[in-house]
């Protein structure tokens, strides 16, 4: 896993504006955004920080599924900009990286570490949900993932609905 980011300086890449500046940029969709090389490296690092959220039981399942899809995407996508492998390379090798230089990182080794922790991380997250949710994820994760992809609040809505009307099959 990647070490957590601790701000050793007041580093704020130029392309990451404060909230007011960001709001005004978003209002003007045609305004070009200037990205420095440092900003792009920082964005690669920020994407990698999503991996650390896999271990947090409070991270929603839909976010975990998104991160896992990105980490374990098809190998032919590894060379694409902002792929998991590309982010590891950029952050590990760039002198502009917010972490200390570590050189090339073996993506498969990192993926293996993620695989190793995944069962415990998912169990901790699923323990926060009713039994029917845990059962659905274990028995048919693709079905649950498809529902969450269409509506990230699907589980919350179902839990609320069942608490109001009760489980008809209990």
């Amino acid at each position: 896993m990647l070490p957590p980011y601790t701000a050793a300086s007041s580093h704020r890449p130029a392309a990451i504006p404060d909230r007011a500046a960001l709001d005004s940029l978003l209002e003007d969709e045609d305004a070009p955004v200037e990205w420095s090389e440092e900003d792009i490296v920082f964005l690669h690092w920020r994407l990698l920080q999503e991996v650390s959220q896999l271990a947090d039981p409070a991270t929603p399942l839909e976010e975990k599924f998104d991160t896992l899809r990105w980490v374990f995407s098809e190998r032919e996508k590894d060379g694409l900009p902002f792929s998991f492998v590309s982010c590891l390379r950029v952050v590990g090798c760039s002198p502009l990286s917010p972490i200390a230089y570590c050189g090339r990182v073996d993506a498969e080794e990192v993926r293996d570490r993620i695989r190793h922790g995944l069962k415990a991380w998912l169990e901790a997250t699923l323990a926060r949900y009713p039994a029917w949710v845990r059962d659905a994820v274990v028995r048919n994760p693709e079905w649950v993932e498809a529902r969450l992809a269409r509506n990230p609040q699907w589980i919350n809505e179902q839990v609320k609905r069942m608490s109001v009307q009760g489980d008809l099959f209990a």
Side-chain angles (χ1 to χ4, degrees):
M1 294 290 281
L2 298 172
Y5 176 69
T6 54
S9 68
S10 59
H11 176 306
R12 184 185 189 98
I16 302 179
D18 62 24
R19 184 69 188 172
L22 181 60
D23 287 342
S24 68
L25 277 174
L26 293 175
E27 287 175 12
D28 185 6
E29 294 176 6
D30 296 329
V33 177
E34 297 295 324
W35 290 86
S36 70
E37 185 177 349
E38 183 180 22
D39 297 332
I40 293 169
V41 171
F42 187 81
L43 182 55
H44 282 83
W45 170 83
R46 180 59 191 92
L47 287 169
L48 286 174
Q49 293 307 293
E50 294 301 312
V51 174
S52 66
Q53 296 302 306
L54 291 170
D56 182 356
T59 301
L61 280 174
E62 195 263 338
E63 288 181 28
K64 289 187 180 198
F65 288 150
D66 281 347
T67 300
L68 291 170
R69 260 191 308 275
W70 178 64
V71 168
F72 296 104
S73 65
E74 298 83 12
R75 299 301 176 253
E76 58 267 11
K77 294 182 179 178
D78 285 351
L80 295 176
F82 299 102
S83 70
F84 177 69
V85 173
S86 177
C87 287
L88 287 174
R89 181 182 43 76
V90 169
V91 171
C93 297
S94 174
L96 301 173
S97 178
I99 66 169
Y101 176 83
C102 60
R104 278 204 169 295
V105 175
D106 182 350
E108 288 311 309
E109 185 177 315
V110 176
R111 285 174 171 144
D112 286 343
R113 287 179 156 202
I114 292 168
R115 276 186 203 97
H116 180 74
L118 193 55
K119 184 176 189 248
W121 300 335
L122 287 176
E123 285 176 353
T125 298
L126 289 172
R128 301 176 62 233
Y129 292 98
W132 70 266
V133 174
R134 294 191 301 268
D135 187 51
V137 171
V138 169
R139 291 179 189 261
N140 200 345
E142 295 84 12
W143 179 78
V144 173
E145 182 182 15
R147 299 284 178 293
L148 288 170
R150 276 184 274 168
N151 176 6
Q153 292 299 315
W154 175 75
I155 290 177
N156 294 335
E157 291 168 0
Q158 296 304 309
V159 168
K160 184 177 178 182
R161 183 180 58 80
M162 290 181 94
S163 70
V164 170
Q165 77 184 53
D167 186 353
L168 299 175
F169 301 103

